[in-house]
Amino acid sequence: CYTTDTKSREENKKTVESLHRLSVDIKKIRRLKEWVLLQDVAYVKEIAGILQEMGADETTVANILERCPEAILHTPAEINSQRALWQLVCQNEKQLIKLIEQFPESFFTTEYHENQKANILFFQELGLKNNIITRFLTSAPNIFYNHVEKNKNLIETLQRNYLNLGGSDANMKIWILKLLSQNPFILLNTSTVIQENLEFLQKNDFTDHEVLQLLSKLKGFIFQLTPTTMQKSMLFSQNVFKCSDQELKQLVLKCPALLYYSVPVLEERLEGLLKEGISVAQIRETPMVLELTTQIVQYRIKKLSALGYDIRSGSLESLNGTKKDFEVNYGKIQSKKERPIFNPVAPINIED
């Protein structure tokens, strides 16, 4: 247990000397987390020793301690326990040290050790692969701080709703695992939020099958919204596209971004498209274009214009999709416009 509140403002000379011997940039620590150097007790040699045992070289150890100097304030016993815990999901210590170097803060958060352990075992029982669990540990560590019972209850709520919406027992496990893999932050919500959001969709005449469809398309992000924000986004879209409730529902199913993005975001993207000379009718025909940021749209229009393709007179389909999708479409348009570099029947000019 350590504190950022220290009585004396003097650095611990032993700590500074030990870090210096490990080629750690002390100035960097002073600039970012000086409070670490003021603590009476630190375990510099011991923590460096554990990292070296795992295969970290001198440069790696220095990098880790520069990025997360508070690591030296944990006892060797705490770090060894954390090491054993992460080894449950890592292939080997080489992979483990690589993860620690990339995400030291996640590894050196030891306060929730028991919760982390219980959740790792729960996720394994659930059927999540170890490589997915390691991704959670590094990119979404907060979900492991929950008591395992909270995560279990939330998963049960999702399973119950999936079945109530007409999902089958046979597909439920695959659906849950996919949802978690795409968006582990679902677990930071409460069962009440999940229930309220699903009820909002049902009140807006989405059938059970359509609600399931939206859950899959939105990768669980729907649970990070509220009925109020969804209502505002839908009303905005309805006013822009001048459509009936039924037509709006079809647009949302086609492009869930109309439900997910807030009004200011939709407004900005719409304005960006209109400035490029694109009509509201075109956007209504291909609403998925609103999933793209204004900068991406401008870049793609510029590239297509260079080929002589006028986006204002045709479909917006060529703008859509991921970067890879766009490159494929762009390549097809480009190949149609290009002419052969070598013309076999053209005369050859030879200069002496």
Side-chain angles (χ1 to χ4, degrees), residues 9 70 163 225:
R9 296 296 296 167
E70 57 268 41
L163 293 174
L225 305 174

Short mmCIF file of all heavy atoms in Angstrom, two decimals, residues 9 70 163 225:
data_model
loop_
_atom_site.label_atom_id
_atom_site.label_comp_id
_atom_site.label_asym_id
_atom_site.label_seq_id
_atom_site.Cartn_x
_atom_site.Cartn_y
_atom_site.Cartn_z
N ARG A 9 9.64 15.71 1.09
CA ARG A 9 9.66 15.85 -0.36
C ARG A 9 11.01 15.44 -0.92
O ARG A 9 11.41 15.86 -1.99
CB ARG A 9 9.33 17.29 -0.76
CG ARG A 9 7.94 17.77 -0.40
CD ARG A 9 6.86 17.02 -1.09
NE ARG A 9 6.89 17.19 -2.53
CZ ARG A 9 6.21 16.45 -3.38
NH1 ARG A 9 5.45 15.47 -2.92
NH2 ARG A 9 6.29 16.66 -4.68
N GLU A 70 5.55 2.83 -10.97
CA GLU A 70 4.90 2.35 -9.74
C GLU A 70 5.04 0.83 -9.56
O GLU A 70 4.73 0.28 -8.49
CB GLU A 70 3.44 2.78 -9.66
CG GLU A 70 2.56 2.36 -10.81
CD GLU A 70 2.48 3.39 -11.93
OE1 GLU A 70 3.52 3.98 -12.26
OE2 GLU A 70 1.39 3.56 -12.49
N LEU A 163 -32.67 -15.64 -25.54
CA LEU A 163 -33.68 -16.70 -25.68
C LEU A 163 -35.09 -16.10 -25.77
O LEU A 163 -35.91 -16.54 -26.57
CB LEU A 163 -33.60 -17.68 -24.51
CG LEU A 163 -32.32 -18.53 -24.44
CD1 LEU A 163 -32.29 -19.35 -23.16
CD2 LEU A 163 -32.19 -19.45 -25.66
N LEU A 225 -25.61 2.86 -24.79
CA LEU A 225 -26.49 3.99 -25.10
C LEU A 225 -27.58 4.10 -24.03
O LEU A 225 -27.65 3.28 -23.11
CB LEU A 225 -27.14 3.78 -26.47
CG LEU A 225 -26.18 3.54 -27.64
CD1 LEU A 225 -26.96 3.20 -28.89
CD2 LEU A 225 -25.30 4.74 -27.88
#
